[in-house]
Amino acid sequence: EGGQANQEENFVGWIDVKGQSPFYEPKITVGNDEILLTVAPNGESYYVMKPQKLWDDNLIKGPVHSLMSIWCVRADGGERTLVIDGVPFVSKVAWNNTNEIVVFNGGERLTIYDTDKNKLILSQALQEEEIVDFFWSPIENNKLYIEQPQSTGGGVYYVDPQKKVELYETKEKVFYK
């Protein structure tokens, strides 16, 4: 009675797949020198990272630093828009709860991009900050928790008023990580 044929018949009845493809994938074209970072939750665009020229081609010994460019690509036509140029290699990407703001982090640098307004947020302030990790608040879509190498407590960036607050300055009892 528990044979595979019987299980398949029962399983198919559980799912309503009329008019839907469970394997929908947005049309993404990534070049040979690009790395896919994230796809917008609505599937209309995606973000890629592309390396820039090395700082010094004649480097024989020592660290090799490569700066990256982040591009927003429209999924429907492939139109590309430069988000930011000259950032370190991005290792973490996260969207806020409303899927309007995406954050890129890598090389102790944070980049916040508002997809509705197509502009960077806090770009000047964040260029001078060393931020090793970040976390969106699960409750507020405007609050970004950060970790810094020189601070044991961390801090909070409020995206809408574009303000940074040290954790010890807040009355919060829970620091989301």
Side-chain angles (χ1 to χ4, degrees):
E1 191 173 345
Q4 186 171 350
N6 190 22
Q7 288 177 0
E8 287 177 6
E9 284 178 23
N10 292 338
F11 178 73
V12 172
W14 295 346
I15 301 173
D16 179 18
V17 294
K18 284 188 175 179
Q20 297 180 5
S21 171
F23 303 107
Y24 169 76
E25 293 182 21
K27 297 177 184 174
I28 297 175
T29 306
V30 179
N32 290 337
D33 60 343
E34 296 177 335
I35 298 171
L36 178 66
L37 293 174
T38 185
V39 177
N42 62 11
E44 294 178 1
S45 60
Y46 56 95
Y47 295 82
V48 295
M49 177 173 57
K50 187 174 182 174
Q52 295 179 333
K53 185 178 179 334
L54 293 176
W55 288 353
D56 186 4
D57 288 338
N58 299 321
L59 187 67
I60 296 173
K61 184 177 179 183
V64 177
H65 300 282
S66 180
L67 295 177
M68 311 302 275
S69 300
I70 299 174
W71 293 82
C72 176
V73 184
R74 298 276 312 159
D76 57 2
E79 178 185 335
R80 294 173 173 264
T81 306
L82 181 65
V83 173
I84 190 167
D85 217 5
V87 295
F89 189 92
V90 174
S91 57
K92 182 177 181 180
V93 180
W95 292 83
N96 71 343
N97 297 336
T98 59
N99 299 325
E100 298 169 347
I101 300 173
V102 61
V103 178
F104 306 96
N105 182 228
E108 297 185 350
R109 175 132 179 235
L110 200 70
T111 302
I112 305 173
Y113 185 66
D114 187 331
T115 60
D116 286 345
K117 298 176 184 173
N118 294 325
K119 71 174 198 170
L120 294 171
I121 300 173
L122 296 161
S123 61
Q124 189 63 34
L126 291 172
Q127 197 168 19
E128 300 165 6
E129 292 274 352
E130 289 183 4
I131 299 172
V132 294
D133 209 353
F134 72 94
F135 309 90
W136 280 107
S137 168
I139 299 168
E140 299 178 43
N141 56 358
N142 188 33
K143 191 184 286 186
L144 191 66
Y145 294 93
I146 60 167
E147 290 185 3
Q148 296 177 291
Q150 72 276 10
S151 172
T152 56
V156 178
Y157 269 106
Y158 292 94
V159 177
D160 191 19
Q162 298 190 11
K163 179 181 176 185
K164 180 188 176 193
V165 178
E166 298 296 332
L167 191 61
Y168 60 82
E169 297 174 321
T170 68
K171 294 180 181 180
E172 293 191 40
K173 294 180 181 172
V174 177
F175 185 69
Y176 293 101
K177 290 187 178 185

